[in-house]
Amino acid sequence: MLYNIFKAFWVGGVICVIAQIIIDKTKLTPARIMVSYVVAGAILTLIGIYEPIVKYAGAGATVPIIGFGYSLCKGVIKAVNEKGLIGVMIGGITATAGGITAAILFGYLAALLSKPRLK
């Protein structure tokens, strides 16, 4: 079990370190880097590279934003196999609905519980 935690930690850490280096060494905004990570996750999943990383690292590979691209792509692939071409439109949303809902809910709760202040 401790070894699994170590694998998740170092893989997730490397993913985050790469993003931090990109932030520090380029003029890309964090938003563009996040979108690039989502797209990279989808592309790496499509060509079969990201699935072995997920199997090895578990949450270390699926929790960072690149894992969102992985989840979208896996959902689309599954839905296309089950429902045909319409799966392109519904697969990604179906696969990520729980995570999106949780992000909205927790963001709303944080907004209710925090005290806004001017900078």
Side-chain angles (χ1 to χ4, degrees), residues 80-117:
V80 166
N81 289 336
E82 291 175 358
K83 298 180 179 161
L85 192 57
I86 192 71
V88 172
M89 303 299 265
I90 62 172
I93 299 298
T94 304
T96 58
I100 293 169
T101 303
I104 292 170
L105 177 66
F106 292 128
Y108 180 70
L109 289 174
L112 286 177
L113 299 175
S114 66
K115 190 177 200 180
R117 61 177 188 245

Side-chain angles (χ1 to χ4, degrees), residues 17 22 43 70 76 99:
V17 164
I22 294 170
I43 291 171
Y70 164 78
V76 168

Side-chain angles (χ1 to χ4, degrees), residues 7-64:
K7 290 189 301 187
F9 178 78
W10 86 259
V11 171
V14 166
I15 291 169
C16 294
V17 164
I18 293 169
Q20 188 63 49
I21 290 170
I22 294 170
I23 289 171
D24 292 343
K25 300 293 182 185
T26 68
K27 293 184 179 186
L28 291 173
T29 63
R32 288 179 191 252
I33 295 168
M34 283 178 32
V35 169
S36 299
Y37 260 46
V38 172
V39 171
I43 291 171
L44 291 173
T45 301
L46 248 169
I47 60 177
I49 294 175
Y50 206 68
E51 184 72 30
I53 296 170
V54 169
K55 286 185 181 186
Y56 172 77
T62 57
V63 171

